Amino acid sequence: MDTVLSEVGRQTLQLSYPDEVDEVEAALRRFRGSARRRPKPPVGMGVELLPLADYVIPVLAGLFGIASGRIAERATDALTDRTRALLADLRDRPGSGAGPMTPEQEREVFESVLLSLEGRVSPEEAQRVAHGVIGALRMRSTGR
């Protein structure tokens, strides 16, 4: 579980928010320790200052079928069974080189990420993360 989340999470943030890459491990610890609850910023801190990794990790966990709950349900709403199967293969066989996603599958994942981040970050940031997730999945699915 941690392998797919940390690898894809790190690649996603490296592509979209390089300054947040170091936050991945801390976000994974918070994710595991919070019983899948959404982290809350300290009193007086705006949500925009909460590390983006705290949003990306639950979204990825939902995409890969690792987490359950409202975020995970939203993450999978836009996915067909074929795309879910591909993501499960990427999750279960690290470095498997499962083959590239089709353009349609990439659109499904993109839409899924947007739905999952809706209301949590700005639409621009959600799109930026979605592009990063697609890029990370491309790297993982082709084994590069």
Side-chain angles (χ1 to χ4, degrees), residues 36-143:
R36 312 303 193 254
R37 289 176 306 195
R38 182 174 154 229
K40 300 203 186 286
V43 174
M45 179 186 280
V47 172
E48 68 277 359
L49 298 179
L50 185 67
L52 198 62
D54 285 316
Y55 293 103
V56 172
I57 295 300
V59 166
L60 290 172
L63 280 175
F64 285 106
I66 294 169
S68 59
R70 190 172 54 83
I71 291 175
E73 288 170 14
R74 293 198 77 184
T76 58
D77 280 347
L79 302 177
T80 62
D81 289 341
R82 185 171 172 224
T83 301
R84 286 184 193 144
L86 175 71
L87 292 170
D89 188 44
L90 292 173
R91 175 195 66 212
D92 295 338
R93 298 189 312 170
S96 67
M101 292 188 298
T102 66
E104 182 177 306
Q105 288 173 314
E106 287 187 0
R107 280 191 296 277
E108 290 174 25
V109 170
F110 191 88
E111 181 64 27
S112 178
V113 172
L114 293 181
L115 285 170
S116 299
L117 292 172
E118 188 175 38
R120 291 172 169 63
V121 299
S122 72
E124 295 79 19
E125 283 184 290
Q127 287 186 357
R128 196 168 170 186
V129 170
H131 284 293
V133 168
I134 296 300
L137 290 174
R138 282 177 183 163
M139 288 191 291
R140 186 168 175 84
S141 67
T142 58

Side-chain angles (χ1 to χ4, degrees), residues 11-39:
Q11 289 170 350
T12 295
L13 291 175
Q14 183 66 47
L15 292 167
S16 300
Y17 292 89
D19 294 341
E20 291 220 18
V21 172
D22 292 337
E23 296 290 334
V24 171
E25 295 303 324
L28 283 168
R29 285 191 301 275
R30 288 190 293 272
F31 180 73
R32 280 192 304 262
S34 68
R36 312 303 193 254
R37 289 176 306 195
R38 182 174 154 229

